[in-house]
Amino acid sequence: MLESDALRYKKFILDTSGVNPKKCMVCGKCSGTCPNYDAMEYHPHQFVQMVENGEIEPLLKTKSIYACLTCFACLERCPRQVEPAKLIDAVRTVVERERDSRHLDPSDVPPLLDDDTPQQLVMSAFRKYKK
């Protein structure tokens, strides 16, 4: 990955998440409270540090972005209110957008829905997967 690509991805991730990774003091409390810690290659505090250091390429290739439950347990334990889950979600968004030029289209949605589908799920999918 070119350095310019890494910087562009880092800017997108920081802008999208609204997280300031410089606040992180690498105490590891976020990782210690993560319910899916064992399923992750990179743990929440590592995500924060890797984004801060511009190490974006390994994050784009890891399956850890799909292991995050977005439960925000990491935020609850963080003494500095850094939000690793938001960073992970932003990295996941980058990966999904790079995967295919065609993203979720409103005309594709009706056949996928049933009466039990929560509206929040539909809105969240459009937020995450629209370009």
Side-chain angles (χ1 to χ4, degrees), residues 1-59:
M1 174 181 288
L2 297 174
E3 187 175 339
S4 61
D5 288 338
L7 290 174
R8 182 172 49 90
Y9 285 139
K10 178 180 176 179
K11 181 178 178 354
F12 176 84
I13 291 166
L14 294 177
D15 290 348
T16 302
S17 67
V19 173
N20 180 1
K22 292 180 179 175
K23 293 185 341 184
C24 178
M25 56 188 193
V26 197
C27 65
K29 287 184 178 184
C30 57
S31 295
T33 194
C34 180
N36 223 11
Y37 178 89
D38 293 333
M40 299 179 85
E41 177 184 2
Y42 299 113
H43 306 295
H45 75 281
Q46 292 172 313
F47 263 92
V48 175
Q49 289 306 301
M50 291 173 80
V51 169
E52 173 58 27
N53 296 331
E55 300 171 30
I56 307 298
E57 188 170 10
L59 295 179

